[in-house]
Amino acid sequence: MSKSPVSIETAFGLSSYIQKPSTSSTSLNFVGVLKARFSDFLVHECSKGNASTTADEIAILVDNLEDSMSKIKAEDDVVIKEREEAKEQAVKKAKLSETASSTPNPSTPTPIPTIDSSPSDDEYTLSVKKCTSKLFEIIGQSELDSLTAFLVLYNPANSSALATTNPPPPQSYSLPKFSDKSVRGVIHNIIKSENFRDLAVADTHEQCIRIWPFSLRTSVPNYKAYTPSQNNSNGSQPRGKNSNKRKKRELADRPWPKTRGSFLRFVVYMENCETMSAVKDLQMKLNTKSLAYAGTKDKRGVTTQFMTVPLMYPQQLDDLVNKGDRRGGGGGRTSGGGKHVIKVGSYKYVDDALTLGDLAGNRFDVVLRNCDLHKEEGKEENGEVDVGDISKAIEANCERVRSTGFVNYYGMQRFGKFFDTHEVGVKILRNDFEGATDVIMREKIGGDEHDDISLARRNWANRANGDVDAEPDADQTRKLAKQTSEKFNRWMMSEKTILDSISRSTGDRISYKRAFDSIPKNMKLMFMHAVQSLVWNKATSYRLDKYGGEKVVVGDLIAEVDADGNGYGNGNGNGKGNGKGKQRDSMQIHCVTEEDVKSGRFDISDVVLPLPGHSVVLPTNSCNQHYGAILRELKLLDEDDDGGEGDMDVVAEMKKIFTNKDNGQYSLGGDYRKIVVKPADFVSKIVMYGEVTEPLIETDLMKIQGAKCEAGDGDSKRDKVGLVVGFSLPSSSYATMMVRELTRRPTLAAYQNSLRLEGRCESVCCVIGEEEGK
């Protein structure tokens, strides 16, 4: 018998509300359909360091291409003019230096040997003369003639004659010494210019520029360092400590003003598309892997976020992304399933690339459709409910959430589609990597996987022929791993990565740890963060059930902030989310005293609870020992570990659990997270509408396209009640948890899919926590 949505959420710690549900007849609760359309859930990222209400720091898609390119052209014209002037000054310096010199130049040009056949002015010779003439004003006629003769000597047509010349001709030609670096820079830029770079390469030795024929370019000392486009076989730049220097040299000829930021920041607008899919799509279109972003957004919605790319023009993005996408559509009015849209705009140059965590939070605009009273509070399933009662319930609950906030739980998406992500994390923390692999590989009961994938999972589970105590034969396991991997889809990254590693392994035993190590680091962290999230959810529910959600009590923890509002973590498990705990380590954690409670110094929204780790402190009230109880429940502590007296014993046990001395990537420092969040800039609007899926809010793309929502008040045909609510949340807080508090209903997809878009909204009996069928 399947569990109800409420019981599933309760198992993951989502069991409390800020205020207990009221049984008063004057305090009604309502429900509505969330994400009936992907355009019912709008997310705008807010950049870090400014208030979320600052319009120019919210990721709003604006078509500012024309203004951006006009400004860029004006800047480029200035740079081009400055470069021309610098070149003229360098030439003048060279002439003055040559005139003022009364002694012979110590760098004597290399003598040019003659060969029997004199080269004619063929195409190669003409090209040499045309290119070398660009140096006339700097080196003079005599040097120019000698350089030209040297390069003509290496005419490909003379290759056979050169091979028999004795003594062999010199490999390079040395120009006179130029002590002025700017003059040498002008010469190098001329040699690297179009056409000339196909004839010769150059380097500098003791302030003398040596020019080498293109056919001898590999003889140049540090050859690859002087060649602008030595790419790997896959087209990417070679990696190494000089990678950035090479990139800068390649871009040296571009007119990039020093006052212009090195990174183009732009807004990515996504409909029905999650961040990583959009990143892959943009990397392919822009032919770069240098995209950076601050956070990830979910697929089901219309989301906008900032990204950065180095040294690129807005016109390039517009041509390759906006104009290059021939699918059309978008704007939040698409009714076709599976369609995704990606657009870019709102261009701005910045000095630094984005990094993960560089966001203050997100601005949400959410629609709840077919709003209705809770089934147990309304009339019969097919009976009518007074619209006035629904409106009163909506207004009362919106005001409640606006003033008191919501429980800052981790949403159910944190625990994976099959609610088993934390189980993998528990196995990792117990160093049971074969067990972690088995959880990942086991059959997903109740899932929608294809039959052959389910069969492959069962075969893997039975690789020891059903004998749980027997160790499967290593060679047979490798063979089965290869066969099983071929059955899985390419997006099943964890499964395929582990299986591929096992199939390639050698030896008499399978190293499941080595196989698990091959999973990308962010995925391994995801499993362990799920454990922290589960512990935190359960600890928070205990705190609210024990002491209530209205006031601070003795023993609570407060993360004190500085003048800029910095000080508490974002609750992702590693302080700043980078695995180093820098933000956590710099926090000042204060334990609430009797004096604090009497003075009213702190509010419930100031209280934090720790995500378990090796470097956190625990509350000194009864929440302390409850952490130990949760860890025992998850089998991370043995039953006979009673934690001793005081919180230090529990802290010591956590330090053991979350420290891996053999492999630091499996250690977690912990973090702190607010238990209550009050949404900022909370606004709500009740909308009457008719068509079940008509747009009720405008997306950024609709505004650019001039499309309007047709919904409005006062039309007699508009008999359905909708709610549009807007609010801002800090990073790592879930909008679905705000909606949970608002409606006092589960957020699980199973429950949301059971709601109706017409008639009475609720139609199932499991919504109040009963098992189905009872």
Side-chain angles (χ1 to χ4, degrees):
M1 189 174 295
S2 60
K3 293 183 178 180
S4 72
V6 168
S7 61
I8 293 174
E9 288 194 349
T10 300
F12 286 88
L14 282 71
S15 59
S16 297
Y17 297 97
I18 297 296
Q19 296 177 348
K20 300 295 183 183
S22 174
T23 57
S24 170
S25 60
T26 61
S27 179
L28 299 175
N29 296 303
F30 77 101
V31 66
V33 183
L34 178 66
K35 296 185 179 181
R37 297 165 49 95
F38 60 82
S39 56
D40 284 351
F41 197 82
L42 308 188
V43 185
H44 291 86
E45 185 176 272
C46 304
S47 65
K48 196 170 186 178
N50 290 278
S52 60
T53 53
T54 304
D56 61 351
E57 294 301 322
I58 297 180
I60 298 175
L61 186 72
V62 176
D63 184 8
N64 66 337
L65 176 65
E66 186 174 340
D67 292 342
S68 297
M69 289 309 301
S70 177
K71 181 180 179 181
I72 289 168
K73 186 178 183 303
E75 292 174 345
D76 289 350
D77 289 343
V78 171
V79 174
I80 292 171
K81 183 179 179 181
E82 289 175 349
R83 288 195 171 189
E84 291 295 329
E85 291 175 351
K87 180 179 177 181
E88 292 177 4
Q89 291 297 322
V91 170
K92 289 179 181 179
K93 283 184 180 181
K95 288 182 176 180
L96 290 172
S97 177
E98 184 178 357
T99 303
S101 177
S102 58
T103 58
N105 196 302
S107 298
T108 305
T110 308
I112 303 298
T114 58
I115 54 178
D116 294 339
S117 58
S118 181
S120 60
D121 284 353
D122 57 8
E123 183 178 350
Y124 177 85
T125 304
L126 290 172
S127 180
V128 169
K129 290 182 177 180
K130 181 178 180 181
C131 290
T132 55
S133 65
K134 299 176 182 178
L135 295 169
F136 171 72
E137 294 186 13
I138 301 176
I139 65 176
Q141 186 63 53
S142 176
E143 290 290 345
L144 182 65
D145 292 341
S146 297
L147 174 60
T148 302
F150 169 75
L151 291 176
V152 168
L153 182 67
Y154 283 88
N155 189 328
N158 293 334
S159 58
S160 58
L162 285 173
T164 59
T165 300
N166 191 20
Q171 291 185 316
S172 65
Y173 181 91
S174 295
L175 294 178
K177 180 183 291 187
F178 291 101
S179 58
D180 192 324
K181 188 175 181 180
S182 64
V183 177
R184 298 198 304 270
V186 171
I187 295 174
H188 275 294
N189 283 334
I190 291 174
I191 295 172
K192 289 189 294 184
S193 63
E194 190 175 2
N195 297 326
F196 208 147
R197 62 187 173 210
D198 297 328
L199 301 174
V201 295
D203 70 342
T204 300
H205 179 67
E206 296 180 352
Q207 297 185 344
C208 287
I209 294 177
R210 297 182 299 189
I211 300 177
W212 305 67
F214 187 78
S215 59
L216 299 179
R217 63 193 182 280
T218 56
S219 300
V220 181
N222 299 320
Y223 157 62
K224 291 188 176 182
Y226 290 97
T227 306
S229 58
Q230 292 296 320
N231 291 345
N232 295 329
S233 59
N234 63 356
S236 63
Q237 290 293 330
R239 295 182 180 180
K241 64 181 181 180
N242 291 321
S243 176
N244 289 333
K245 292 182 179 179
R246 279 193 292 268
K247 290 180 180 179
K248 289 181 179 179
R249 280 198 300 271
E250 292 170 29
L251 295 164
D253 290 333
R254 294 180 64 172
W256 203 268
K258 294 181 180 179
T259 56
R260 181 187 297 163
S262 299
F263 297 89
L264 178 63
R265 190 186 77 174
F266 57 99
V267 168
V268 182
Y269 170 97
M270 299 166 285
E271 291 185 8
N272 205 31
C273 179
E274 50 96 19
T275 298
M276 297 314 299
S277 295
V279 167
K280 291 178 182 178
D281 187 85
L282 291 172
Q283 285 177 335
M284 181 179 64
K285 290 179 178 178
L286 302 178
N287 192 27
T288 180
K289 292 186 177 181
S290 298
L291 282 176
Y293 48 91
T296 58
K297 303 292 183 282
D298 295 333
K299 177 180 178 180
R300 186 66 181 175
V302 176
T303 61
T304 60
Q305 66 182 108
F306 293 114
M307 290 190 187
T308 56
V309 66
L311 301 173
M312 192 169 284
Y313 292 105
Q315 187 69 61
Q316 293 173 275
L317 269 72
D318 188 71
D319 289 343
L320 295 170
V321 181
N322 294 341
K323 295 177 182 176
D325 189 350
R326 302 180 183 278
R327 291 171 298 180
R333 292 163 292 148
T334 308
S335 58
K339 183 182 180 66
H340 77 265
V341 175
I342 301 174
K343 299 292 182 183
V344 295
S346 304
Y347 308 104
K348 178 182 179 181
Y349 284 104
V350 294
D351 294 328
D352 300 305
L354 289 171
T355 59
L356 287 174
D358 281 346
L359 71 160
N362 296 284
R363 177 70 188 176
F364 296 91
D365 293 282
V366 177
V367 172
L368 293 176
R369 293 180 181 269
N370 195 29
C371 293
D372 191 5
L373 298 181
H374 282 189
K375 183 183 176 184
E376 62 270 21
E377 295 175 346
K379 297 182 180 180
E380 296 300 322
E381 181 170 327
N382 296 320
E384 294 185 0
V385 178
D386 184 70
V387 172
D389 289 341
I390 298 175
S391 298
K392 289 179 182 178
I394 291 174
E395 291 170 354
N397 283 281
C398 284
E399 181 56 35
R400 173 178 56 83
V401 171
R402 181 189 290 109
S403 60
T404 64
F406 63 95
V407 185
N408 194 26
Y409 284 128
Y410 287 100
M412 291 300 296
Q413 56 265 53
R414 188 81 166 186
F415 308 104
K417 181 178 180 180
F418 301 105
F419 312 135
D420 59 359
T421 307
H422 69 289
E423 295 183 47
V424 180
V426 168
K427 298 291 187 182
I428 295 172
L429 293 170
R430 293 179 64 90
N431 284 312
D432 180 6
F433 292 96
E434 182 175 2
T437 299
D438 288 341
V439 174
I440 291 174
M441 288 295 301
R442 73 187 179 194
E443 186 176 5
K444 308 305 180 185
I445 304 299
D448 54 359
E449 291 187 323
H450 199 273
D451 290 344
D452 59 348
I453 294 177
S454 296
L455 178 60
R457 291 187 185 277
R458 289 196 296 272
N459 290 340
W460 177 262
N462 295 324
R463 61 189 182 279
N465 297 320
D467 188 348
V468 295
D469 296 324
E471 183 173 345
D473 178 75
D475 290 334
Q476 291 181 357
T477 300
R478 293 187 189 98
K479 183 178 179 180
L480 179 60
K482 184 177 181 180
Q483 295 172 345
T484 307
S485 178
E486 292 171 352
K487 297 286 186 182
F488 286 168
N489 298 318
R490 57 183 173 82
W491 56 83
M492 295 178 173
M493 186 177 295
S494 296
E495 290 93 335
K496 289 185 70 68
T497 302
I498 291 174
L499 292 171
D500 291 343
S501 177
I502 292 174
S503 66
R504 294 191 301 266
S505 66
T506 58
D508 297 332
R509 296 173 64 88
I510 299 296
S511 174
Y512 287 95
K513 182 181 183 302
R514 183 181 301 134
F516 203 88
D517 282 345
S518 63
I519 295 178
K521 180 181 178 180
N522 63 331
M523 299 195 81
K524 286 180 281 196
L525 286 174
M526 176 187 71
F527 295 128
M528 293 188 292
H529 287 170
V531 178
Q532 291 177 306
S533 302
L534 178 59
V535 174
W536 190 92
N537 278 358
K538 287 177 173 288
T540 297
S541 291
Y542 175 86
R543 161 62 180 81
L544 294 173
D545 291 343
K546 180 75 175 178
Y547 301 109
E550 292 82 26
K551 59 182 180 179
V552 178
V553 298
V554 174
D556 279 339
L557 299 181
I558 306 293
E560 296 186 322
V561 300
D562 58 24
D564 296 323
N566 300 316
Y568 63 89
N570 53 18
N572 57 18
N574 283 315
K576 199 176 179 181
N578 57 9
K580 300 177 182 178
K582 289 183 178 179
Q583 188 170 336
R584 179 202 63 238
D585 293 342
S586 63
M587 288 182 207
Q588 295 296 320
I589 301 300
H590 174 75
C591 188
V592 174
T593 64
E594 288 279 4
E595 291 74 15
D596 293 327
V597 174
K598 292 177 181 178
S599 67
R601 177 184 173 190
F602 299 113
D603 181 76
I604 188 66
S605 60
D606 298 318
V607 176
V608 298
L609 278 177
L611 281 84
H614 58 66
S615 299
V616 295
V617 298
L618 292 176
T620 58
N621 51 36
S622 63
C623 294
N624 171 292
Q625 291 303 306
H626 194 69
Y627 270 88
I630 298 170
L631 294 173
R632 283 193 292 273
E633 178 187 336
L634 294 175
K635 295 182 171 54
L636 288 171
L637 277 178
D638 294 333
E639 289 296 332
D640 56 354
D641 292 329
D642 60 7
E645 296 181 2
D647 67 319
M648 290 303 295
D649 290 325
V650 180
V651 169
E653 292 298 330
M654 285 205 310
K655 188 169 185 177
K656 295 177 186 176
I657 294 168
F658 293 96
T659 300
N660 190 314
K661 295 181 180 179
D662 297 327
N663 194 332
Q665 66 176 324
Y666 297 117
S667 294
L668 292 174
D671 206 342
Y672 300 91
R673 181 178 175 90
K674 289 191 172 185
I675 65 173
V676 173
V677 167
K678 293 182 180 180
D681 310 311
F682 187 98
V683 294
S684 60
K685 179 182 178 182
I686 296 174
V687 179
M688 302 299 297
Y689 66 101
E691 295 295 327
V692 293
T693 58
E694 68 180 69
L696 299 184
I697 48 177
E698 295 178 1
T699 67
D700 291 353
L701 195 54
M702 287 175 66
K703 294 174 182 177
I704 291 174
Q705 296 172 345
K708 299 292 182 181
C709 293
E710 298 178 357
D713 298 324
D715 192 328
S716 58
K717 295 181 180 179
R718 300 186 179 280
D719 55 354
K720 300 174 183 62
V721 181
L723 172 64
V724 180
V725 57
F727 52 94
S728 298
L729 298 179
S731 61
S732 190
S733 290
Y734 291 74
T736 50
M737 294 299 98
M738 195 287 297
V739 174
R740 173 184 177 274
E741 187 83 34
L742 185 66
T743 62
R744 300 186 185 277
R745 282 303 192 229
T747 58
L748 280 177
Y751 168 72
Q752 289 294 324
N753 292 338
S754 73
L755 300 181
R756 297 170 173 173
L757 288 169
E758 294 185 279
R760 293 302 306 274
C761 188
E762 288 184 327
S763 61
V764 292
C765 63
C766 62
V767 294
I768 57 175
E770 301 173 326
E771 298 293 330
E772 289 183 13
K774 286 188 178 182

